[in-house]
Amino acid sequence: MTALLEVTGLTKRYAGRREEVTACEDITFRVRRGDALALVGESGAGKSTVVRLVAGLEQPTAGRILLRGDPIDARPRGRTARLARAATVQIVHQDPYSCLDPRQTVGAGLAELLRLHARRLGPGAATRTRVADLLDTVGLPGLADARPARLSGGQRQRAAIARALAVEPDILLLDEAVAALDVSVQAQILNLLADLREHKGTTLVFVTHDLGVVRQLCQDTVVMRGGRVVEEGPVARVLTAPRHPYTRTLLDSVPRPGWHPRRTSGTAAAP
Ligand code: ADP
């Protein structure tokens, strides 16, 4: 079966002040439709770069990204191509401020987005009810009339997630997108994502430090270090019987201050 997303030999180098920085090199992985993949590894491993490339926000130095077997349109021209691109891949960053227009209320921003994609989402997609539903879904009921400045960091994060969900993309890239949320809100959003995956076939790619999230939601994982893949495979195998010493270290360590491995019920046994 053709993978929904196929990344081959993906490499990105940046011109540094003195020398080039290789953010990621020769990254290869595939994700089937409706699966969830976790990109894990310490800070600076190149995970965000990979998802930015997949989102088409930057051009790779080398390698290719195929969506349903076709090269992604990295620089879509014209309104229709841009909308099609947005409908395929959405990304939610850790700091979502840039995707929220400070002059617009959260509800007006969502309505505008729904109108833009109305042809695909169906007639009547941009209703107040749909906006209210989306805000409810991410735990922001009644905040349609709020502007971003009035929201807390966690609320802005949820508003950004609502925007990504509104478009009903084929692939949702989440770059530490739930890490800063309160535990209960985080659980609500993770449940929602699991639901989307199961019922709508949305493909998820998580960049996360939280192995609880990986266990709970993901089928496959790619472990990165220093811009390269050190190990990949099914979560059940990689987290219980890691082959690479770095993966073992990662599983034993606390990669970032404030990070706590969380035990989630109903998941595979802890390594
Ligand atoms: P991660 O998401 O795993 O923390 P990143 O993809 O953010 O890693 O970064 C990988 C490496 O690439 C880091 O050394 C980072 O400093 C470098 N890097 C990322 N983006 C840029 C950029 N725009 N310009 C220069 N170097 C960058």
Side-chain angles (χ1 to χ4, degrees):
M1 198 175 78
T2 316
L4 178 67
L5 171 67
E6 192 173 350
V7 169
T8 311
L10 199 63
T11 300
K12 179 71 181 177
R13 295 187 221 287
Y14 293 103
R17 239 187 257 156
R18 290 207 191 125
E19 54 192 27
E20 263 189 348
V21 178
T22 301
C24 66
E25 186 158 29
D26 201 18
I27 306 296
T28 296
F29 60 81
R30 294 156 66 95
V31 194
R32 284 180 307 261
R33 178 175 181 273
D35 271 5
L37 176 85
L39 294 179
V40 301
E42 65 205 357
S43 279
K47 307 178 298 293
S48 294
T49 303
V50 170
V51 289
R52 280 202 307 273
L53 293 171
V54 172
L57 299 177
E58 291 178 35
Q59 294 288 307
T61 309
R64 61 176 198 182
I65 302 164
L66 300 182
L67 287 176
R68 292 192 193 85
D70 294 323
I72 56 158
D73 191 357
R75 291 205 179 105
R77 276 167 210 259
R79 186 171 182 271
T80 314
R82 278 200 302 276
L83 286 177
R85 183 59 212 269
T88 308
V89 187
Q90 284 283 313
I91 183 166
V92 185
H93 300 282
Q94 188 167 20
D95 170 17
Y97 208 59
S98 59
C99 82
L100 302 172
D101 182 343
R103 293 161 305 181
Q104 212 174 26
T105 65
V106 175
L110 277 171
E112 182 181 273
L113 199 57
L114 292 168
R115 272 195 301 275
L116 264 177
H117 289 269
R119 188 176 291 181
R120 190 177 43 88
L121 298 175
T127 58
R128 292 178 75 88
T129 319
R130 178 65 184 138
V131 168
D133 274 356
L134 279 162
L135 289 173
D136 268 1
T137 298
V138 296
L140 294 178
L143 283 179
D145 293 331
R147 285 178 212 285
R150 227 192 81 197
L151 304 178
S152 70
Q155 287 175 326
R156 283 202 289 266
Q157 184 67 34
R158 284 181 269 161
I161 294 172
R163 289 180 64 82
L165 297 178
V167 177
E168 299 182 14
D170 296 324
I171 303 180
L172 188 53
L173 308 168
L174 298 134
D175 188 353
E176 296 284 11
V178 297
L181 299 178
D182 292 346
V183 173
S184 64
V185 175
Q186 192 187 76
Q188 183 186 342
I189 290 185
L190 292 177
N191 282 337
L192 172 74
L193 294 171
D195 229 45
L196 282 175
R197 190 182 75 69
E198 255 174 60
H199 301 297
K200 295 212 165 172
T202 308
T203 303
L204 305 171
V205 177
F206 286 92
V207 169
T208 182
H209 278 81
D210 190 333
L211 297 180
V213 170
V214 179
R215 280 197 195 94
Q216 189 185 343
L217 279 186
C218 301
Q219 286 69 52
D220 292 299
T221 185
V222 169
V223 183
M224 290 181 63
R225 186 187 198 192
R228 289 188 164 269
V229 173
V230 297
E231 177 160 5
E232 63 176 310
V235 166
R237 202 274 300 149
V238 175
L239 296 194
T240 50
R243 290 183 185 142
H244 195 281
Y246 175 69
T247 314
R248 265 172 246 145
T249 314
L250 194 71
L251 291 174
D252 291 342
S253 69
V254 177
R256 214 182 241 183
W259 179 91
H260 301 287
R262 228 175 318 123
R263 296 282 172 261
T264 326
S265 59
T267 55

